[in-house]
Amino acid sequence: MANTIDAEKAVKISSVNGIEVYRINTEKFKTSSIHFFFQDNLTRESVTLNSLLPAVMRRGSERYPTLGDISKQMENLYGATFDCGVTKKGERHIMQFYVEFLSKRYIPDSVDSFKEGLELLYDIIMKPALENGRFREDYLEQEKDKLRILIEGRVNDKMSYSVDRCLEETCKDEPYGIYDYGFVEDLPGINSEALTNHYRKMLETYPLQVYLAGDISDGDTKEVLDRLSGLKRGNMLQLGSGFIEKQPDKPRYVTEPMNVTQGKLCLGFRTNISPQSPAYTSLMVYNGVLGGGIHSKLFQNVREKASLAYYSKSMLEKFKGLMVISSGIEAKNKDKALDIILKQLEAIKSGEISDYELGATVKSMETSLKSLGDSQLNLVDFYLSQTVSGTWDNLTDIIDKIKQVTKEQIIDSARNIKLDTVYFLTSQQDGSGNGQEETGNENR
Amino acid sequence: MKIDKIEYDKAGEVLYRYEHSSGLKAFVIPRKGYSKRYAAFATHYGSINNEFVIPGEAGPVSVPDGIAHFLEHKLFEQKDGSVMDKFSALGSNPNAYTSFNQTVYLFSCTDKFDENFGLLLNFVQNPYITQESVEKEKGIIGQEIMMYQDDPGWRAFFNLLGAFYSRFPIRIDIAGTVESISKIDRDTLYKCYNTFYHPSNMVILVVGDEEPQMVFGMIEAALQKKEPIPEIARIFPDEPAAINKDYTEQSLSVSIPIFQMGYRDNRSDKDGIEMLMHETAVKLLLDMLIGRSSALYNQLYSEGLLNSSFDADFSIEKEYGFSILGGESPDPMKVKERFCQAVDEAKSNGLDREAYERLIKAAKGRYMRQFNSVERIAHSFISVYFKDVNMFDYLQVYDKITFKYVEEIFKEHFDRANLAMSVVKPV
């Protein structure tokens, strides 16, 4: 049983011209999938272009010139899924395109679903619908408008908005503080020529990773390699990950007023531990003890004992070296909640970690890692993330390392962590500021 | 112990089934090669069951809104502390959810399945509720309710249900209100528990790489009640046949109007398979009329009236049914108008047969894809189970369904008189 959880390990098949191809071969799923990840550094100049590009590309290709044509083809392929978009990992901005389809053995007719799926994805990425050599104006203008709506729509989900905003405030003078979907103010200046040039730049210079997951034959793999070998590539862009160490003297306090029923209190921290450091494993366990589940100090003290919140949790941002604590509370309880939260951090620092807290944390992390292999998308993300962090561990190794973490190592991690920013989203009448920074008069 | 093994060759799946003397039915769906194991213990009791007859009592009793969900929270509390902590110590993930007509307790784990399963079987059968802990829970659930008050999609949904129904309790938020939960006490929680948590009103499902013999053996040993009880009398208010209103709106801090609209479905006399047929037909119709490949969606998308947040779905139970189409739009009324036009055109010109053939293929593929995920399997199984069918019956539905049947359902469901719309507007 010991090695079954690594049965779905990603294997690097090829690495040429800044294109890496990985294969995750498993028959346990009913579907297979193909993923393309083009990577850029997250910068103010390219963020909006990067974000607009997949949005326009998804509108049509040479062979499937409209959204409707693409949808029909996916329906014909027994409900295949195609999607694309952007995400950030640390200070990398990643454009992803993927297609997932029923594996050949479950297709009732003789359709070669891998071939068809690859054909569709390849057509969308390599042969977009152009007019006079440029992206179609109508698609561009429509997608600019949709991107504006999407960016403005960030506020609609208060929980994720508050966490993102907290981390943006924490990194406000660093590239990580840039919102992955870009800026509304950039949109009017982007014309189809600029976007087409940007597209060529992506194809030629952005490092590309391709993942093939599911029931993938050698023939399927060869088909992908053959196609990629014909791609014209130039000088590859050099990528960073954005990790930095920082020791703020005192936290910044930021209050954002909004018409909300529930306040969201988020704390942004610098972990000062890089994902490549051996101490990173201790940091993961630290985060688990602090706010990584129902056994954690935050859940037990903010929710269960004080009844102040329905949720209170902590999460790591691995690549950049950040941690965020978030809770939904009544605005009038802000100081009380902040006090209880900070006490939990102090408690870990002073070694108050029970055997139960440590044991439950380690077991729960083990469960999550073992479960990773049960989802194709999570598996792909796991390996992609490791290429960003510059690590290449398999699941069994990570679990072994987690089990060896001691209380002393957790305390060491706790000492490295520094509170950077306290962000509070609150209703207009409770907000003492008007979107402004408050002067931090608390000496924590 | 009698175990039935049912093979579904088309899906490459097997279902094991066992019935306990108390009337409880239990199922195992094996997942070879998966690390995760998932178990659910569910009762046919949800937020809409706020009036019923307690077995052995003469008259009906009314209970505060949100009590099924409140009970879900309280059941995790045991004499020696929260059972959550015991699951946590095993590294597993316990959870629970309450919907309109069911309450589901579950866990997932990758190790020590039998210990986890033992905990689940035990705590769901043994409530330990004190008045003090009830008071404390009101703070936590109060925050949960407030969290949902800021969720525009959730608000649009419940406002739409309130437009569909004048009295039927589906119109009330599952968690109730801060006011209604203030009236909940220990005794009422026990009354609800004693009525609805009898094994004959419940089901157990295990998805994962476990031996059915072992799973059913543990159930046999753990179930405390051995005799079935008669059907529970669930009482619902008389609901007028017509919708309550055709439009409702609310303001929240959102960036763009968020809308949901749909048709209330009054056909509630169907048996299980018919309900699945009906559901599949309406979903196909929604795809044909305004799905991603339809002319209408593509036009509205190009004109900026819809974006990719748009989605459509259909729900049907014995007591209620409705379709919902929703998303973000600068002009929801226009979307409604254009949709109604497309429905009228299809009514006079007929439905697109080619689209039907393509979409049924897509529906079959999407159905198969669910089997990738342990959670999805469990969720699908439980969500249809109390209609007296199981998720594998969709295989029959895909064989049986015809274009002609879909045409009939089209005429029946898409009736302008049953159409309502709910909009959440920016402040």
Side-chain angles (χ1 to χ4, degrees):
Chain A
M1 288 298 279
N3 53 9
T4 54
I5 59 162
D6 282 308
E8 296 91 15
K9 193 171 164 52
V11 178
K12 197 194 261 188
I13 301 290
S14 135
S15 177
V16 190
N17 283 338
I19 305 174
E20 295 176 350
V21 180
Y22 297 86
R23 174 175 169 185
I24 300 172
N25 206 6
T26 169
E27 289 180 5
K28 88 180 183 192
F29 303 111
K30 289 195 160 66
T31 58
S32 302
S33 55
I34 306 170
H35 310 248
F36 277 58
F37 299 100
F38 289 92
Q39 304 196 28
D40 188 12
N41 292 307
L42 185 61
T43 65
R44 181 65 190 80
E45 295 70 44
S46 63
V47 65
T48 312
L49 284 162
N50 281 345
S51 144
L52 190 56
L53 190 52
V56 174
M57 288 168 69
R58 75 182 305 158
R59 292 297 302 274
S61 67
E62 271 179 22
R63 210 164 140 197
Y64 307 103
T66 69
L67 262 185
D69 295 327
I70 294 174
S71 304
K72 277 179 193 159
Q73 173 61 4
M74 294 197 300
E75 286 160 7
N76 276 323
L77 273 178
Y78 290 89
T81 311
F82 154 72
D83 208 354
C84 60
V86 283
T87 180
K88 72 177 175 190
K89 284 190 188 288
E91 286 174 359
R92 283 204 200 164
H93 202 207
I94 303 179
M95 276 148 280
Q96 48 185 351
F97 300 81
Y98 93 101
V99 62
E100 184 182 355
F101 40 84
L102 268 193
S103 299
K104 285 175 222 172
R105 72 175 66 197
Y106 296 104
I107 299 268
D109 49 37
S110 58
V111 170
D112 183 341
S113 56
F114 184 90
K115 210 174 156 199
E116 296 283 338
L118 177 64
E119 184 69 49
L120 175 74
L121 191 66
Y122 212 79
D123 210 56
I124 289 169
I125 298 172
M126 306 297 172
K127 297 173 197 161
L130 302 179
E131 247 170 25
N132 306 320
R134 292 178 190 166
F135 283 110
R136 284 174 54 164
E137 293 284 349
D138 54 344
Y139 285 176
L140 175 64
E141 290 310 314
Q142 289 163 14
E143 291 307 323
K144 276 157 80 169
D145 193 47
K146 292 203 165 21
L147 185 55
R148 175 187 60 77
I149 290 170
L150 189 145
I151 296 170
E152 290 170 354
R154 294 183 75 187
V155 297
N156 299 347
D157 181 340
K158 312 294 184 262
M159 199 193 291
S160 65
Y161 177 73
S162 59
V163 168
D164 288 356
R165 284 283 301 120
C166 173
L167 291 178
E168 285 171 21
E169 286 292 339
T170 304
C171 301
K172 88 189 211 327
D173 300 317
E174 297 155 52
Y176 190 81
I178 299 169
Y179 177 51
D180 14 345
Y181 283 94
F183 295 83
V184 171
E185 71 221 46
D186 295 354
L187 292 170
I190 300 178
N191 60 24
S192 75
E193 187 182 358
L195 194 71
T196 313
N197 290 338
H198 193 74
Y199 164 71
R200 300 244 146 78
K201 185 172 144 195
M202 175 190 90
L203 270 195
E204 287 175 22
T205 67
Y206 285 13
L208 164 65
Q209 290 189 5
V210 176
Y211 286 81
L212 311 174
D215 194 355
I216 308 291
S217 71
D218 293 345
D220 295 338
T221 312
K222 189 174 173 300
E223 171 108 28
V224 173
L225 294 179
D226 285 351
R227 280 179 183 249
L228 288 170
S229 67
L231 193 63
K232 184 181 150 230
R233 298 280 276 176
N235 288 332
M236 275 318 105
L237 185 77
Q238 291 300 311
L239 297 172
S241 74
F243 174 78
I244 60 162
E245 294 189 22
K246 208 169 176 186
Q247 313 280 344
D249 301 336
K250 59 174 192 196
R252 280 173 67 228
Y253 289 80
V254 178
T255 298
E256 184 169 337
M258 196 182 277
N259 201 333
V260 288
T261 309
Q262 185 181 64
K264 308 280 185 205
L265 179 62
C266 298
L267 283 65
F269 297 82
R270 304 282 178 169
T271 66
N272 295 309
I273 297 172
S274 109
Q276 292 171 355
S277 153
Y280 187 76
T281 314
S282 322
L283 176 66
M284 284 165 67
V285 179
Y286 166 82
N287 174 63
V289 171
L290 178 65
I294 51 179
H295 56 272
S296 69
K297 287 192 184 287
L298 289 175
F299 188 91
Q300 289 301 326
N301 291 287
V302 182
R303 172 173 154 143
E304 296 294 292
K305 292 212 179 86
S307 298
L308 287 179
Y310 175 65
Y311 72 91
S312 182
K313 57 192 174 187
S314 63
M315 287 168 291
L316 291 176
E317 199 291 335
K318 179 179 180 177
F319 315 103
K320 177 72 187 162
L322 302 171
M323 182 177 79
V324 60
I325 293 177
S326 70
S327 314
I329 56 167
E330 235 175 293
K332 66 172 174 19
N333 290 330
K334 179 200 168 191
D335 293 337
K336 208 162 145 192
L338 186 58
D339 190 53
I340 297 175
I341 290 168
L342 293 172
K343 277 199 177 115
Q344 306 316 309
L345 286 134
E346 287 305 317
I348 301 185
K349 242 186 240 174
S350 60
E352 285 174 40
I353 305 164
S354 70
D355 291 342
Y356 164 73
E357 285 167 337
L358 179 58
T361 297
V362 170
K363 286 245 168 60
S364 124
M365 292 169 73
E366 187 180 347
T367 306
S368 321
L369 287 161
K370 282 181 175 169
S371 307
L372 257 178
D374 291 348
S375 152
Q376 241 177 103
L377 299 189
N378 290 347
L379 271 170
V380 169
D381 187 65
F382 172 72
Y383 287 105
L384 173 72
S385 295
Q386 293 216 60
T387 66
V388 177
S389 60
T391 52
W392 197 251
D393 293 317
N394 61 35
L395 292 164
T396 315
D397 295 341
I398 299 176
I399 292 169
D400 286 346
K401 283 196 243 174
I402 287 169
K403 284 181 176 165
Q404 283 159 24
V405 170
T406 63
K407 284 185 191 172
E408 287 67 34
Q409 288 171 324
I410 297 173
I411 297 165
D412 282 344
S413 300
R415 292 203 176 113
N416 276 306
I417 287 173
K418 294 287 177 313
L419 178 57
D420 188 302
T421 300
V422 176
Y423 167 89
F424 191 43
L425 180 75
T426 188
S427 59
Q428 248 107 17
Q429 57 268 34
D430 307 303
S432 42
N434 45 359
Q436 301 298 313
E437 219 169 289
E438 286 171 45
T439 37
N441 51 6
E442 286 168 65
N443 51 7
R444 285 200 174 91
Chain B
M1 196 164 54
K2 185 178 165 291
I3 299 174
D4 300 320
K5 178 182 179 186
I6 311 156
E7 295 183 44
Y8 299 96
D9 292 337
K10 268 194 192 159
E13 297 290 335
V14 179
L15 175 69
Y16 293 91
R17 179 185 177 280
Y18 155 77
E19 185 168 344
H20 182 257
S21 63
S22 62
L24 174 128
K25 293 178 191 77
F27 301 86
V28 173
I29 301 175
R31 282 294 12 85
K32 278 270 172 279
Y34 279 70
S35 303
K36 204 182 281 177
R37 279 93 171 123
Y38 185 109
F41 198 167
T43 168
H44 189 192
Y45 166 52
S47 66
I48 61 171
N49 303 115
N50 54 13
E51 195 178 355
F52 50 87
V53 180
I54 301 170
E57 288 189 15
V61 53
S62 285
V63 291
D65 294 332
I67 197 164
H69 170 261
F70 203 105
L71 182 56
E72 173 226 295
H73 273 236
K74 281 334 299 167
L75 220 54
F76 283 95
E77 203 137 297
Q78 298 286 290
K79 206 165 190 167
D80 52 353
S82 170
V83 70
M84 291 261 191
D85 300 347
K86 293 181 186 165
F87 281 108
S88 268
L90 293 167
S92 54
N93 302 311
N95 209 341
Y97 59 88
T98 305
S99 66
F100 295 126
N101 55 9
Q102 47 191 259
T103 312
V104 186
Y105 300 85
L106 57 99
F107 70 84
S108 67
C109 71
T110 54
D111 195 18
K112 299 198 174 108
F113 172 82
D114 50 345
E115 278 184 51
N116 283 293
F117 193 47
L119 285 176
L120 177 72
L121 293 173
N122 188 283
F123 88 82
V124 176
Q125 290 188 84
N126 295 290
Y128 179 79
I129 303 168
T130 62
Q131 190 55 40
E132 191 198 344
S133 76
V134 169
E135 292 310 321
K136 220 190 74 191
E137 201 68 30
K138 288 177 184 173
I140 296 171
I141 295 179
Q143 284 306 312
E144 189 179 359
I145 292 170
M146 285 167 78
M147 181 174 85
Y148 281 112
Q149 277 168 7
D150 286 331
D151 183 329
W154 190 257
R155 288 314 327 147
F157 178 54
F158 275 92
N159 293 346
L160 180 62
L161 294 178
F164 284 151
Y165 297 95
S166 316
R167 296 190 208 128
F168 196 71
I170 196 172
R171 64 199 306 281
I172 302 156
D173 208 321
I174 288 169
T177 62
V178 172
E179 209 260 316
S180 75
I181 64 166
S182 72
K183 297 185 193 119
I184 291 175
D185 60 21
R186 179 186 173 279
D187 286 356
T188 323
L189 286 163
Y190 270 105
K191 274 181 192 165
C192 295
Y193 180 87
N194 291 331
T195 307
F196 291 103
Y197 282 68
H198 187 278
S200 59
N201 192 45
M202 300 179 82
V203 64
I204 294 175
L205 170 71
V206 171
V207 185
D209 194 2
E210 291 295 335
E211 277 305 316
Q213 190 82 29
M214 183 278 291
V215 171
F216 298 140
M218 279 185 73
I219 294 171
E220 176 87 43
L223 283 193
Q224 296 151 358
K225 297 195 170 73
K226 309 290 183 194
E227 302 289 325
I229 52 159
E231 189 79 14
I232 302 157
R234 300 157 197 259
I235 296 157
F236 296 108
D238 284 329
E239 174 67 36
I243 58 171
N244 180 24
K245 49 187 170 188
D246 63 7
Y247 183 77
T248 171
E249 67 175 39
Q250 181 185 350
S251 294
L252 279 179
S253 36
V254 290
S255 57
I256 184 172
I258 289 169
F259 74 94
Q260 296 199 357
M261 63 177 191
Y263 299 85
R264 178 174 140 188
D265 197 306
N266 290 331
R267 280 281 298 270
S268 54
D269 52 347
K270 300 192 168 193
D271 79 8
I273 292 283
E274 277 175 59
M275 268 195 264
L276 295 191
M277 289 275 287
H278 188 126
E279 178 202 304
T280 304
V282 178
K283 283 184 177 174
L284 280 167
L285 285 160
L286 289 167
D287 272 344
M288 289 161 76
L289 293 162
I290 195 169
R292 291 293 189 266
S293 62
S294 68
L296 178 63
Y297 176 81
N298 282 270
Q299 284 155 11
L300 295 175
Y301 184 95
S302 298
E303 290 169 34
L305 285 167
L306 285 183
N307 59 30
S308 48
S309 69
F310 179 79
D311 204 4
D313 205 356
F314 178 70
S315 298
I316 184 164
E317 295 293 335
K318 282 175 187 141
E319 304 87 2
Y320 58 88
F322 49 83
S323 54
I324 291 197
L325 304 85
E328 303 169 350
S329 175
D331 192 350
M333 286 311 278
K334 196 149 238 163
V335 174
K336 180 180 155 186
E337 249 171 60
R338 298 279 291 276
F339 179 71
C340 288
Q341 265 173 29
V343 169
D344 290 344
E345 275 164 33
K347 276 187 181 160
S348 42
N349 304 341
L351 291 163
D352 179 355
R353 176 125 206 176
E354 196 192 314
Y356 165 80
E357 301 291 350
R358 202 177 59 235
L359 286 162
I360 189 123
K361 237 165 122 176
K364 284 181 200 171
R366 289 183 194 128
Y367 167 78
M368 290 291 281
R369 193 172 56 195
Q370 298 182 92
F371 291 100
N372 275 354
S373 154
V374 166
E375 285 89 350
R376 282 287 299 279
I377 297 170
H379 196 268
S380 296
F381 191 94
I382 301 277
S383 71
V384 301
Y385 177 76
F386 294 116
K387 295 174 200 172
D388 300 323
V389 281
N390 75 56
M391 70 181 293
F392 296 100
D393 292 324
Y394 281 105
L395 292 166
Q396 268 189 64
V397 169
Y398 295 131
D399 284 343
K400 263 171 76 175
I401 203 160
T402 59
F403 186 63
K404 195 165 165 283
Y405 175 79
V406 171
E407 284 179 318
E408 279 164 29
I409 299 293
F410 176 53
K411 284 177 211 139
E412 187 184 303
H413 179 77
F414 293 83
D415 178 352
R416 188 73 189 248
N418 295 329
L419 178 64
M421 172 169 237
S422 156
V423 178
V424 169
K425 298 205 302 193
V427 184

